[in-house]
Amino acid sequence: MNILILGSGGREHSLAWAVLQNPKCDRLIVAPGNAGIAAIADCAALDILNPGAVVTFAEQESIDFVIIGPEAPLAAGVADRLREAGVLTFGPSRGAAQLEASKRFTKEICDAADAPTAAYGAFTDPAAARDHVTRQGAPIVIKADGLAAGKGVIIAETVDQAHAAIEDMFGGAFGAAGAEVVVEEFMQGEEASLFVLCDGVNILSIGTAQDHKRVGEGDTGPNTGGMGAYSPAPVVTAEIEALAMERIVRPTIAEMARRGMPFQGVLYAGLMICNGQPRLVEYNVRFGDPEAQVLMMRLGAQALDLMLAAAEGRLDKAGITWGEDHALCVVMAADGYPDDYEKGSVIGGLDACPSDSFNMVFHAGTATREGQITAAGGRVLGVTARGNTLQQAAGRAYEMVDRIDWPEGFCRRDIGWRAL
Ligand code: AMP
Ligand code: GLY
């Protein structure tokens, strides 16, 4: 079959890598892709936020299956338009994508589904939001309702900080995403993520992961898109996974179906685990980045069969063959990230890294210039390895990191520390 993947990050490189291992894939196009993806698949320039353009492209290229990587095209209704045009598609409708695109929507679904999550208030009026914060006290969490590229969440340590965050959000710091603000109880605990595939009705767990959001070692410094990840997450025991499925994921999927917005695709449940009880922090309606890199490394070619089963509504008959394995991804970022960073520095040593079913350097923000790979983004590489133990996976990943010759880049040396 001819397959089209939408997106251009490390997540999409790992999806492409897994899909290509499956003999069902005859031709793979990734739009727009990146320099690493271009080495294994065709890349095409395409405005992936324009549903009409994506449908026309899929028809021109005789695409049989589309996998949508990031949230923005999902929130723009690309999956709806593809399905209307009869193109088999992995990814939720615009309505179902509200589970990521609107924090208030998600809270209302949790209320209706009786799913444990932080207590909250939703506000369109700054004065009401401020009063709520004054009554609740700090620490407290202030969130822009809409998509804000992972930046729309402020953990306020004091009431003054919370008031300032409310001011900023209603003042347009996150554009339209901040026209509504959700104020949440601060939850204590350890965070982990559970990934499930859904076909609208049936649900299949495809693993757990933990990421490192802070830029600095020991989980310090500013938040980033994620500096590394590992799977499985030991904090998500079988009991906790069962609780999260029964109390959070299943009731959510059922509520979405009841509202006529069946969820089809991958649901990424961010959990806060405290005293053996999981509560929902947030949903994403796509694979995480860099969580996809570790999940794809563990699933390999099965990933395509599973995504097809989700898209075709037959997840009840799908299963996963798990190895007793662990995967870990170390993100290499450009100096300065997550603040300002330079683009264009040359990355050497990539040829010295193995690329096989245990070791892969997935590209995120890369480009090519005169035959050389250059940095073209903040997060640039996802150095990913698999092993029988997390220790072994980490050892392999850092061995590759040490072969990469990129003086203008950096990484955290402690990815996986909580689990190791
Ligand atoms: P989000 O963009 O919703 O994933 O939020 C970013 C990060 O903020 C999460 O990964 C958590 O670490 C933190 N966070 C969000 N909401 C809460 C909450 N209610 N209590 C504690 N931490 C939170
Ligand atoms: N790594 C966090 C995310 O993809 O949202």
Side-chain angles (χ1 to χ4, degrees):
M1 66 193 331
N2 296 334
I3 298 174
L4 170 65
I5 297 178
L6 302 184
S8 63
R11 166 181 49 213
E12 287 76 20
H13 191 182
S14 71
L15 287 167
W17 174 83
V19 161
L20 282 167
Q21 289 174 39
N22 192 308
K24 288 196 184 82
C25 177
D26 296 311
R27 178 165 184 233
L28 176 65
I29 306 178
V30 184
N34 62 37
I37 297 171
I40 61 170
D42 292 340
C43 289
L46 174 64
D47 177 4
I48 64 169
L49 297 182
N50 179 336
V54 174
V55 169
T56 304
F57 182 82
E59 284 170 347
Q60 274 166 0
E61 300 292 333
S62 308
I63 297 295
D64 304 297
F65 186 43
V66 179
I67 299 168
I68 303 179
E71 63 277 17
L74 295 166
V78 170
D80 309 59
R81 287 288 295 279
L82 282 165
R83 280 194 278 267
E84 273 160 34
V87 183
L88 190 65
T89 300
F90 179 81
S93 66
R94 182 183 191 145
Q98 290 180 91
L99 284 176
E100 175 164 1
S102 169
K103 300 204 187 279
R104 180 191 40 74
F105 178 85
T106 298
K107 289 302 214 181
E108 287 172 5
I109 294 288
C110 286
D111 285 345
D114 203 19
T117 183
Y120 77 105
F123 303 93
T124 49
D125 169 42
R130 263 196 309 274
D131 289 350
H132 180 79
V133 164
T134 309
R135 279 195 305 276
Q136 297 293 316
I140 195 156
V141 183
I142 314 295
K143 298 185 173 184
D145 175 68
L147 291 178
K151 299 192 179 73
V153 174
I154 309 287
I155 313 275
E157 307 287 346
T158 64
V159 168
D160 284 348
Q161 276 173 18
H163 285 168
I166 288 166
E167 220 58 52
D168 285 353
M169 282 183 195
F170 283 114
F174 301 103
E180 183 157 10
V181 166
V182 172
V183 178
E184 269 185 26
E185 164 202 1
F186 175 79
M187 294 188 284
Q188 305 277 358
E190 185 167 350
E191 277 189 85
S193 306
L194 171 63
F195 293 84
V196 299
L197 297 184
C198 311
D199 62 9
V201 177
N202 302 292
I203 305 169
L204 182 70
S205 165
I206 55 162
T208 61
Q210 270 178 300
D211 74 346
H212 294 266
K213 287 213 169 75
R214 304 295 195 95
V215 74
E217 284 169 15
D219 294 325
T220 55
N223 261 319
T224 70
M227 293 302 292
Y230 50 97
S231 171
V235 62
V236 187
T237 58
E239 291 75 29
I240 290 179
E241 180 170 339
L243 282 173
M245 282 293 218
E246 291 318 313
R247 295 195 184 153
I248 302 174
V249 174
R250 281 189 200 290
T252 298
I253 297 301
E255 177 63 19
M256 293 301 288
R258 201 185 63 76
R259 293 190 182 204
M261 290 184 264
F263 187 93
Q264 186 263 73
V266 58
L267 186 65
Y268 159 163
L271 305 174
M272 188 69 82
I273 298 157
C274 191
N275 299 326
Q277 299 296 320
R279 287 206 280 169
L280 184 76
V281 178
E282 60 157 356
Y283 282 126
N284 294 308
V285 298
R286 47 160 178 93
F287 287 105
D289 189 333
E291 292 90 336
Q293 288 85 319
V294 288
L295 293 176
M296 291 304 125
M297 182 118 269
R298 295 185 66 210
L299 288 170
Q302 300 178 89
L304 175 59
D305 296 319
L306 294 167
M307 290 188 280
L308 280 168
E312 290 174 340
R314 46 180 182 78
L315 265 184
D316 51 331
K317 294 181 193 75
I320 302 180
T321 314
W322 284 113
E324 286 293 311
D325 59 357
H326 297 255
L328 182 139
C329 171
V330 179
V331 169
M332 297 188 76
D335 283 345
Y337 175 80
D339 297 325
D340 292 342
Y341 53 82
E342 303 271 324
K343 290 185 184 176
S345 54
V346 174
I347 302 165
L350 291 168
D351 291 341
C353 295
S355 72
D356 52 39
S357 59
F358 290 90
N359 301 275
M360 268 305 295
V361 178
F362 294 117
H363 289 223
T366 63
T368 9
R369 191 177 68 224
E370 292 159 13
Q372 290 181 305
I373 300 288
T374 59
R379 290 190 297 166
V380 174
L381 301 171
V383 183
T384 310
R386 185 157 70 99
N388 295 328
T389 61
L390 187 60
Q391 193 85 48
Q392 190 180 40
R396 285 178 175 153
Y398 281 109
E399 220 168 275
M400 288 190 280
V401 165
D402 291 336
R403 289 177 191 219
I404 293 170
D405 177 18
W406 182 31
E408 295 83 3
F410 73 99
C411 69
R412 278 180 57 168
R413 302 288 322 188
D414 66 344
I415 299 306
W417 69 271
R418 271 179 209 280
L420 292 165

